[in-house]
Structure formats: structure tokens, C-alpha cells
């Protein structure tokens, strides 16, 4: 088990370009999450998948953002027509249910993140 | 709307100088409170989960406690390797966590 893997680790792009990030979760984890983190702030929730179904999306997730998780394995987060305000660290996390007193209160394992800089 | 406030924003301690970090929260129907540690350039690393008021958990020099309105992360005799940003998060739906802005801890040798 190598943990949650994210690629690329760093991406520099020009405003208006499209970018895509990939996340490979821990193999036995069926839940996958995307978060965004800016400097000095905590991570902000973007979206949640259980297996291949996208079950929750934050209102932060504008229509320029799309996430997929085909076959319930890896996930991609695409940002179209990037803006300078999209510059942030994009974090992926995965979890499995059933841990803890409340079976739904999962422990998330985060990847190292993909840092996006939009010029 | 769920809110999580952490204080102080930054804390500098001498090695061995114990202290506490605070996390106050306003949520409807808390399902769990989490503490994570984040090193520069890395993703958050899980430390503790607390589920009900009065619960306490310990790990090495760290001890987390929970009341109905706040949680504390106590650091006893910290070492330089404890330097990191400590993040608090709450969940009500188990589908997402709401994080605070974190406390940046620096432990000087």
C-alpha cells in the first residue's frame, strides 16, 4: 500500500488553459474526496465519490470544474478556462467506511497534493 | 453553516514548553471532530478522531480533548519535530469535513 498518489505534483499554466489532475486512492478505499487549499487556509471540500458515483458537490465547484471516477478506481479533476483565482493546492483523499463509533465518520488519508499556479 | 475557528494562528514554543491549541466549532449535529497535522508541501496526516463530549485520546506527546463547543490539542514537552500546522475539522454528514485555518506551531531547540 503506497498511500494516495496525485499527479502532477506541480502545474504551471496560463490563464484560460485547461488542466487535469489525477488521483489514485488506496486500493481498498471506496470513498474519494477532492479538496482545495490556499496558503494559510485549511482545505475546502470540493466533491465526494462513493465508488463511481459522485454523491456530493460543494457550491464552490463552479461549472468550470468537473470530476470523474470511472469504474470507482482513480479520479480526475479537470479545470477548464483556468483563472488566477484557481491557483491553489488540490488535495485528494480516500477512505473506507466503518471506522470509529459512527460508521460514516471516516478517517481520510490525503495525498501530497497537486499545486496549481495560473499565470 | 458549519464553522470551525482555531487559535492561536501561530505559536512559537521552546523545546519542552507545554501548551494547548484550541478549536472551537459551531455545527448542527456533530458526527466527529478530527485533528490533522500538515507539514509544508504535504497533505494533512491524520492524528485523532473524537466523537462525543468528554472523550480524550493520546498519542506520544499529544492529547486531544472534546467538549460540546471546542476541542483542545495539548502538547506536552514538545520537540522540534513537532513543528507543523495542526488542523481541526468537523463532520456532520461524513461526506465532507469542514476545516479550520490551522495553527502553525514552531518548536525551537
Amino acid at each position: 500500500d503506497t498511500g494516495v498518489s496525485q499527479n502532477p505534483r506541480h502545474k504551471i499554466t496560463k490563464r484560460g488553459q485547461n488542466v487535469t489532475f489525477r488521483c489514485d486512492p488506496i486500493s481498498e478505499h471506496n470513498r474519494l474526496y477532492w479538496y482545495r487549499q490556499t496558503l494559510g487556509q485549511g482545505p475546502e471540500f470540493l466533491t465526494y465519490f462513493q465508488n463511481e458515483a459522485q454523491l456530493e458537490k460543494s457550491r464552490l465547484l463552479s461549472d468550470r470544474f468537473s470530476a470523474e471516477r470511472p469504474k470507482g478506481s482513480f479520479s480526475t479533476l479537470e479545470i477548464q478556462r483556468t483563472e488566477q483565482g484557481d491557483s491553489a493546492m488540490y488535495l485528494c483523499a480516500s477512505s473506507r467506511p466503518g471506522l470509529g463509533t459512527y460508521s460514516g465518520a471516516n478517517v481520510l488519508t490525503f495525498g501530497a497534493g497537486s499545486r496549481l499556479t495560473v499565470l | 453553516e458549519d464553522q470551525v475557528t482555531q487559535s492561536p494562528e501561530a505559536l512559537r514554543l521552546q523545546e519542552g514548553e507545554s501548551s494547548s491549541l484550541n478549536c472551537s466549532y459551531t455545527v448542527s449535529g456533530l458526527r466527529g471532530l478530527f485533528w490533522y497535522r500538515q507539514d509544508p508541501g504535504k497533505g494533512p496526516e491524520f492524528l485523532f478522531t473524537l466523537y462525543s463530549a468528554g472523550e480524550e485520546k493520546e498519542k506520544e506527546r499529544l492529547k486531544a480533548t472534546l467538549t460540546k463547543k471546542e476541542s483542545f490539542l495539548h502538547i506536552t514537552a514538545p520537540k522540534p519535530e513537532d513543528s507543523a500546522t495542526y488542523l481541526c475539522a468537523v463532520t456532520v454528514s461524513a461526506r465532507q469535513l469542514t476545516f479550520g485555518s490551522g495553527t502553525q506551531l514552531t518548536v525551537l531547540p
Side-chain angles (χ1 to χ4, degrees):
Chain A
D1 183 354
T2 57
V4 177
S5 177
Q6 292 190 245
N7 288 288
R9 291 294 314 280
H10 302 276
K11 179 71 176 179
I12 300 174
T13 192
K14 293 183 178 179
R15 184 165 53 93
Q17 297 294 305
N18 299 344
V19 296
T20 299
F21 301 113
R22 176 180 170 125
C23 172
D24 289 272
I26 293 172
S27 56
E28 64 265 29
H29 287 186
N30 68 336
R31 300 183 180 193
L32 187 145
Y33 311 77
W34 285 98
Y35 283 78
R36 178 171 66 188
Q37 186 175 26
T38 54
L39 197 62
Q41 300 299 313
E44 292 178 299
F45 171 79
L46 293 178
T47 192
Y48 160 71
F49 289 86
Q50 184 166 320
N51 299 310
E52 67 277 8
Q54 188 174 21
L55 298 183
E56 192 149 334
K57 291 170 60 173
S58 167
R59 57 181 180 273
L60 292 175
L61 210 65
S62 78
D63 56 8
R64 296 186 298 106
F65 287 69
S66 62
E68 294 182 342
R69 193 182 182 197
K71 302 179 182 178
S73 56
F74 71 92
S75 176
T76 58
L77 177 68
E78 181 183 17
I79 308 173
Q80 296 182 327
R81 305 180 303 280
T82 53
E83 302 173 356
Q84 288 185 324
D86 296 331
S87 295
M89 175 77 83
Y90 289 85
L91 293 164
C92 177
S94 67
S95 73
R96 57 186 175 190
L99 297 180
T101 305
Y102 174 56
S103 64
N106 300 288
V107 172
L108 272 60
T109 301
F110 283 86
S114 292
R115 181 167 295 285
L116 173 64
T117 302
V118 181
L119 303 176
Chain B
E1 185 173 315
D2 302 338
Q3 285 195 327
V4 179
T5 303
Q6 292 190 245
S7 61
E9 290 184 5
L11 181 63
R12 291 166 66 92
L13 301 173
Q14 290 295 136
E15 184 172 1
E17 180 186 1
S18 301
S19 188
S20 296
L21 313 182
N22 177 264
C23 170
S24 61
Y25 61 90
T26 305
V27 299
S28 298
L30 180 72
R31 296 292 192 178
L33 184 140
F34 298 77
W35 282 98
Y36 281 83
R37 168 191 170 130
Q38 187 171 28
D39 293 299
K42 296 187 177 181
E45 177 186 349
F46 171 74
L47 293 173
F48 303 108
T49 309
L50 302 167
Y51 294 102
S52 57
E55 189 173 0
E56 298 182 352
K57 288 192 177 173
E58 288 188 65
K59 179 181 178 180
E60 296 181 353
R61 295 176 293 281
L62 300 176
K63 178 180 177 180
T65 61
L66 181 65
T67 71
K68 289 186 177 180
K69 294 183 179 180
E70 58 191 349
S71 177
F72 291 93
L73 185 65
H74 308 277
I75 303 177
T76 302
K79 299 181 178 182
E81 53 262 42
D82 295 322
S83 296
T85 295
Y86 290 85
L87 295 164
C88 171
V90 298
T91 186
V92 297
S93 72
R95 292 183 173 188
Q96 62 174 282
L97 297 179
T98 300
F99 282 86
S101 296
T103 293
Q104 185 175 357
L105 175 66
T106 303
V107 181
L108 304 171

